[in-house]
Amino acid sequence: MKKEYWHALLSLGRVSNLPTILSNVTVGYYLGGGRIESAPLPWLFCIGAIVCFYEAGMFLNDICDFSVDSQERPERPLPSGQLTIFSASVIALFLFLLGIGIVAYFLPGALFLSLFLIGLIVIYNLVHTQFRLAPLLMGACRGSVYLIAATAAGWTGLDSYRSSTSGSVLIMSLGLTLYIAAVSFIARDELKASVGKVRKVQRVSAFVLLGVVLWPVVFAHQLDSVLLMGFLPVCFWFITTEIQLIRKEISPPKAVGCMLAGMSLWDGLVLATVQSVSGMCLAWACFGGARLWQRRIQSS
């Protein structure tokens, strides 16, 4: 019984996506001028806070989608009765408060952005079933992670560029927002009966994702071997995934999982723009971890 309970918690929290949180925070931290080797504590505190916000958001998502999941995905932890709505609500509230406590005590400069992120999470979960452009809200949630992590590193928002970086915090945050929005459009339509609509979303999303893959290269200050090393894996992964999706060789849910894990490859490319080989390798490891974990826990 305990094993089933913990598996339900992990499934509800979609923990297979947590490695992408690690790579997201690392990117924002480096773009903000921070370095793990010289100042690891703000990076670690930021990871802890963002993980709390992410998990709380995942719990809140299933709470808000209870009636829909009861019809379309009755195997989910809440409709199946593995967990109660009350217990899920208590855990979500606790995680939100814990995340805010971490930020307020250790990263006070990021408190406003953290509250903004929580607001986005709540609004998204309340309106995403009725609001057509809700995937943009989901994208903004992830894009905010770059901003919070950059602030934890000392970025104030007054200067978009730093001498030690080759990219802009704001520009790369926008790129991540578009990335997640495109993937979220596919995930939202994966259960729709109209094949024509799904195909249209997939085509549009394919072009958006292609543009996002090129995003860091376009805005990099210089093209070098490190940038090329970061570009090839993400380019190969997304072209392969998109081709398989368009040819119906993989289902939309599996494609969504591939793209969510591939977010860490994109993070690696962004880290290549700031010449961080170690950070890029960490992002690649996060990609591998996400793919391995997705075999056990559903990612969407």
Side-chain angles (χ1 to χ4, degrees):
M1 187 65 181
K2 287 185 177 181
K3 184 178 180 180
E4 294 178 356
Y5 177 77
W6 284 107
H7 186 273
L9 284 177
L10 296 176
S11 178
L12 197 64
R14 296 172 177 85
V15 296
S16 57
N17 292 326
L18 287 183
T20 65
I21 295 294
L22 174 57
S23 62
N24 286 167
V25 172
T26 302
V27 170
Y29 195 66
Y30 271 74
L31 289 178
R35 292 297 180 267
I36 298 173
E37 58 273 16
S38 59
L41 287 181
W43 173 71
L44 290 172
F45 290 136
C46 191
I47 291 172
I50 298 300
V51 166
C52 287
F53 298 149
Y54 175 82
E55 287 299 310
M58 291 298 100
F59 275 70
L60 183 60
N61 182 260
D62 273 41
I63 292 168
C64 294
D65 287 356
F66 179 79
S67 59
V68 176
D69 286 343
S70 296
Q71 299 293 325
E72 298 178 350
R73 297 195 293 179
E75 73 283 357
R76 291 293 296 165
L78 295 185
S80 65
Q82 299 174 67
L83 290 171
T84 65
I85 292 181
F86 176 77
S87 61
S89 300
V90 170
I91 294 172
L93 179 60
F94 170 77
L95 289 171
F96 274 133
L97 293 176
L98 178 60
I100 283 296
I102 292 173
V103 173
Y105 191 80
F106 297 106
L107 307 169
L111 183 57
F112 173 77
L113 285 172
S114 297
L115 292 173
F116 176 74
L117 172 57
I118 291 176
L120 284 176
I121 292 172
V122 172
I123 292 172
Y124 169 80
N125 283 301
L126 290 176
V127 307
H128 74 99
T129 56
Q130 296 87 23
F131 184 42
R132 285 187 176 184
L133 298 181
L136 292 175
L137 293 175
M138 173 63 79
C141 289
R142 277 289 181 141
S144 298
V145 173
Y146 276 10
L147 302 181
I148 293 171
T151 303
W155 179 72
T156 63
L158 299 178
D159 52 340
S160 296
Y161 291 89
R162 286 183 175 270
S163 59
S164 60
T165 66
S166 300
S168 164
V169 176
L170 297 176
I171 288 176
M172 294 308 170
S173 175
L174 177 59
L176 182 60
T177 297
L178 294 175
Y179 178 105
I180 291 299
V183 175
S184 297
F185 272 113
I186 296 176
R188 185 194 64 176
D189 291 342
E190 67 186 31
L191 296 175
K192 284 190 175 181
S194 175
V195 177
K197 287 185 178 180
V198 173
R199 284 180 176 174
K200 183 178 180 181
V201 169
Q202 290 170 358
R203 291 194 192 101
V204 172
S205 297
F207 283 108
V208 172
L209 286 173
L210 178 60
V212 173
V213 168
L214 297 173
W215 195 277
V217 177
V218 172
F219 289 100
H221 289 177
Q222 61 181 4
L223 301 178
D224 53 27
S225 58
V226 176
L227 192 63
L228 179 63
M229 187 167 57
F231 176 71
L232 291 179
V234 66
C235 185
F236 173 80
W237 182 254
F238 281 106
I239 289 177
T240 301
T241 302
E242 288 290 351
I243 290 175
Q244 290 177 329
L245 179 60
I246 293 172
R247 291 180 176 178
K248 297 183 180 181
E249 296 175 0
I250 58 175
S251 64
K254 288 185 177 180
V256 168
C258 291
M259 293 171 186
L260 289 175
M263 189 190 334
S264 290
L265 291 179
W266 192 80
D267 285 337
L269 176 57
V270 179
L271 286 163
T273 67
V274 295
Q275 299 295 299
S276 175
V277 176
S278 60
M280 183 170 59
C281 291
L282 175 61
W284 290 349
C286 290
F287 165 75
R291 289 299 291 162
L292 286 174
W293 219 343
Q294 284 175 355
R295 296 179 181 180
R296 303 293 297 274
I297 303 294
Q298 187 176 354
S299 61
S300 61

